[in-house]
Amino acid sequence: MGKASFYFCRAVAWSVFLCLLCCPRAFSQTYLVHCDIDGVVPVLNGKVITTTPIEMEVQVIGKNIYFLVKEPKIYAMRVNSIETEKFLCTNLSNEYKIGARIKDRASGLQSEITIDRKSAQVHGFHDLALKKSTVRVNFEGPCVVP
């Protein structure tokens, strides 16, 4: 390893160290939010899905927010506020709520999650593709925020 490579590696190491030291907002902690939600499927004559407990992972990194719901399958979704070529995303956060909306540009399927800052009520919807049609599942319910 030459002298120039040594000094380059050393400069990179110092840059990473300073970034870790000075930019703590660039890294995020994942919060687990537990909610008991009730779902409604309007296109199925308002079919109500019984109260279901969910665990939602929430991260806020800078101006961006991320939500992940893994189970149960009908509510499984990943919603964030970072726009990409594949997804049109919106940060819905303000002084009253935190939230995001995501739309698949190709299929048009959308998902949205918002949590009221004061009451910790979650509201949202999730589109599912079933038999060549889109079915929207609306949901809401109380959450326990860490």
Side-chain angles (χ1 to χ4, degrees), residues 4 7 21 41 47 49 74 79 81 88 98 104 117 139 142:
Y7 286 118
L21 186 65
V41 184
K47 177 168 175 46
I49 302 168
I74 195 162
V79 181
S81 62
L88 177 63
I98 62 169
D104 187 307
R117 291 182 190 266
F139 59 89

Side-chain angles (χ1 to χ4, degrees), residues 74-94:
I74 195 162
Y75 297 116
M77 69 184 97
R78 182 179 306 242
V79 181
N80 65 63
S81 62
I82 295 183
E83 193 165 325
T84 65
E85 289 181 21
K86 186 174 180 181
F87 296 105
L88 177 63
C89 302
T90 308
N91 188 334
L92 302 173
S93 300
N94 59 34

Side-chain angles (χ1 to χ4, degrees), residues 11-29:
V12 169
W14 271 106
S15 297
V16 170
F17 174 74
L18 289 174
C19 182
L20 289 173
L21 186 65
C22 299
C23 306
R25 291 188 58 106
F27 303 96
S28 173
Q29 180 178 355

Side-chain angles (χ1 to χ4, degrees), residues 2 6 32 50-51 54 95 110 121:
F6 172 76
L32 292 177
T50 58
T51 303
I54 65 165
E95 63 186 274
Q110 298 183 66
Q121 280 281 116

Side-chain angles (χ1 to χ4, degrees), residues 106-121:
S107 68
L109 297 177
Q110 298 183 66
S111 296
E112 176 179 304
I113 296 176
T114 61
I115 300 175
D116 185 273
R117 291 182 190 266
K118 195 172 192 177
S119 67
Q121 280 281 116

